[in-house]
Amino acid sequence: MSEAKERSLLGLTLQELTGIAEEAGQPSYRGHQIFEGIYRRRLESPEQISNLPHSFRGQLADAGFTVGLPKIEKKFSAADGTGRYLMALVDGQSVETVWMPEGDGGEAGDGSEAGKEEESRAWNRATICVSSQVGCAVDCQFCLTALLGVKRNLSAGEIVGQICAVLNDRNVLLPQDRVNVVFMGMGEPFLNYDNFMKAVRLLVEGVGIAESRMTVSTAGIVPRIYDFGAEPVRPKLAISLNASNDDLRSRLMPINRKWNLEKLMAAARDFPLRARERLTFEYVLLNEVNDSARNAREVAELIRGIRAKVNLIALNTGPGIAFETPAEERVLQFQRILIAAGVPAFVRRPRGRDIFAACGQLKRTVELQTA
Ligand code: SF4
């Protein structure tokens, strides 16, 4: 095996790991043992993969291989049990990953079993919210992450690594423990499509999280919605809508100037849903901007005929954001109008507001607060 600089095993497929084993003169099943060790058993160094011969573990270390888990640099805990992790990557960049025990209240109505099981420990199900890029280029006007701009894409290993690091920190046992993954952290997953999809496959085949327990949220990268619909293995799809007409949406989400509501809703209508699956539309309510009764009626009209539900999220305010949180009565009115029009609508509980872990708040708050 040739000398290599530090190289992560996380992110490599079974085939790629088998190639590494064979290059080192090992039988091909050693690749499978590495795959099991880093994904299913979530070991933290090649040295811990105890079913590999000692000499091969030494060879891997000499060649510069590490598992490549991101380092938990900081961990913040909110009063509601939500945990926000600041994860350090090898190049000094960092991303945030959030742990939400008991789910986020947004799963109901999607046909999943979430929420039906007995309480067996401090949490009986949990959701991990994972980042796909350092920062984000999409520039939604109500989002703290957008203030960072985009610094780079995450590799598949860095995406999977965030989840493994949190699962290890919380002592999660899979498949017994019910864990959902939402790709709704920093970044637009569909602008890092190949790495995101590679991570999905490794999570399903390696870590053991079913595709039906994962949801990806897009701001509306229309060509990728079509690609995603054609994937044989894929999470559920959520579309971040946030406005009921083009004028408003182009103002709040500049991406709408490239792919407007007509194109976006055509992609949503064409999306091949599986049995019992629903599309999710997310709608962040901004006081007196997009939360009127008229807006609600327009949303119902847009969604008519699509098997979908709407998650309503009252804005989580933060420094540098020019919008306000609507009063609860406005949120409930919006929900009532959707339900009356036959659209299932759920108000999502804000999670971890006190530690800036809620939707649209993921960013280097440490950086922000000290700036
Ligand atoms: S809401 Fe999502 S897509 Fe929009 S800027 Fe924030 S992270 Fe990017």
Side-chain angles (χ1 to χ4, degrees):
M1 195 181 293
S2 57
E3 194 65 29
K5 61 179 178 89
E6 191 172 312
R7 203 180 151 200
S8 296
L9 294 169
L10 273 180
L12 300 181
T13 61
L14 175 58
Q15 198 181 15
E16 288 165 334
L17 293 169
T18 302
I20 288 171
E22 286 173 348
E23 199 194 323
Q26 296 286 330
S28 56
Y29 67 82
R30 297 281 183 223
H32 194 261
Q33 290 174 324
I34 302 174
F35 189 82
E36 284 285 312
I38 62 173
Y39 295 115
R40 194 66 56 140
R41 296 167 63 200
R42 307 193 307 259
L43 300 172
E44 298 187 351
S45 76
E47 192 51 45
Q48 293 175 343
I49 311 176
S50 51
N51 49 351
L52 295 180
H54 211 71
S55 58
F56 182 36
R57 283 184 259 165
Q59 265 178 298
L60 286 170
D62 290 347
F65 283 107
T66 63
V67 169
L69 279 168
K71 189 168 155 285
I72 297 175
E73 205 169 71
K74 285 205 169 69
K75 188 166 133 185
F76 306 86
S77 298
D80 64 5
T82 301
R84 178 166 68 89
Y85 293 85
L86 191 64
M87 302 273 189
L89 307 173
V90 278
D91 63 351
Q93 298 284 2
S94 58
V95 290
E96 299 192 349
T97 314
V98 180
W99 165 265
M100 293 171 280
E102 304 296 329
D104 65 355
E107 292 90 355
D110 63 0
S112 78
E113 296 299 305
K116 289 188 184 159
E117 61 243 81
E118 304 266 309
E119 174 106 20
S120 58
R121 54 196 285 184
W123 52 275
N124 65 3
R125 67 194 164 95
T127 298
I128 298 174
C129 177
V130 62
S131 295
S132 56
Q133 297 181 302
V134 182
C136 186
V138 176
D139 204 22
C140 303
Q141 297 299 295
F142 49 83
C143 173
L144 278 171
T145 307
L147 299 177
L148 280 177
V150 67
K151 299 203 171 144
R152 70 170 172 86
N153 282 336
L154 296 188
S155 66
E158 288 169 332
I159 297 172
V160 174
Q162 291 170 67
I163 295 163
C164 291
V166 173
L167 292 173
N168 285 352
D169 188 60
R170 301 281 164 169
N171 296 316
V172 174
L173 285 176
L174 294 174
Q176 298 94 306
D177 293 333
R178 296 296 188 91
V179 172
N180 298 307
V181 170
V182 294
F183 296 89
M184 298 183 185
M186 294 165 71
E188 163 55 63
F190 283 5
L191 291 180
N192 184 18
Y193 188 81
D194 292 344
N195 290 342
F196 152 69
M197 278 309 303
K198 186 176 187 188
V200 164
R201 290 187 289 271
L202 293 170
L203 288 167
V204 173
E205 293 157 19
V207 179
I209 299 176
E211 58 184 312
S212 58
R213 294 214 153 262
M214 296 187 230
T215 302
V216 62
S217 175
T218 180
I221 313 297
V222 167
R224 294 287 89 75
I225 294 177
Y226 286 99
D227 293 342
F228 185 65
E231 295 286 351
V233 173
R234 61 157 179 85
K236 292 182 286 193
L237 179 64
I239 293 175
S240 195
L241 186 62
N242 309 319
S244 59
N245 57 61
D246 273 324
D247 279 354
L248 185 56
R249 194 162 193 270
S250 294
R251 200 148 52 83
L252 297 177
M253 301 177 75
I255 195 91
N256 196 67
R257 293 175 205 150
K258 189 157 188 185
W259 293 290
N260 64 14
L261 278 172
E262 190 187 339
K263 291 179 182 145
L264 179 61
M265 298 315 289
R269 254 167 242 289
D270 290 346
F271 192 74
L273 291 167
R274 294 179 283 234
R276 299 180 72 226
E277 184 180 7
R278 280 183 194 278
L279 213 55
T280 299
F281 287 96
E282 293 173 308
Y283 199 99
V284 176
L285 292 158
L286 313 172
N287 190 38
E288 298 196 1
V289 174
N290 66 354
D291 65 342
S292 69
R294 181 175 148 234
N295 293 132
R297 284 192 292 270
E298 285 178 345
V299 167
E301 199 51 46
L302 282 174
I303 292 176
R304 188 180 301 281
I306 303 177
R307 198 159 82 228
K309 63 165 175 156
V310 176
N311 278 342
L312 299 171
I313 307 134
L315 173 75
N316 296 302
T317 50
I321 298 298
F323 302 101
E324 289 168 0
T325 310
E328 198 181 351
E329 182 43 40
R330 288 181 77 83
V331 177
L332 296 176
Q333 170 191 259
F334 204 96
Q335 181 188 31
R336 277 195 301 271
I337 294 170
L338 289 178
I339 291 173
V343 178
F346 301 86
V347 177
R348 276 178 35 171
R349 279 180 295 142
R351 301 299 304 266
R353 247 185 199 168
D354 52 332
I355 54 160
F356 287 89
C359 186
Q361 292 193 322
L362 293 192
K363 70 166 280 140
R364 298 286 301 276
T365 37
V366 177
E367 212 174 59
L368 234 202
Q369 284 161 0
T370 54

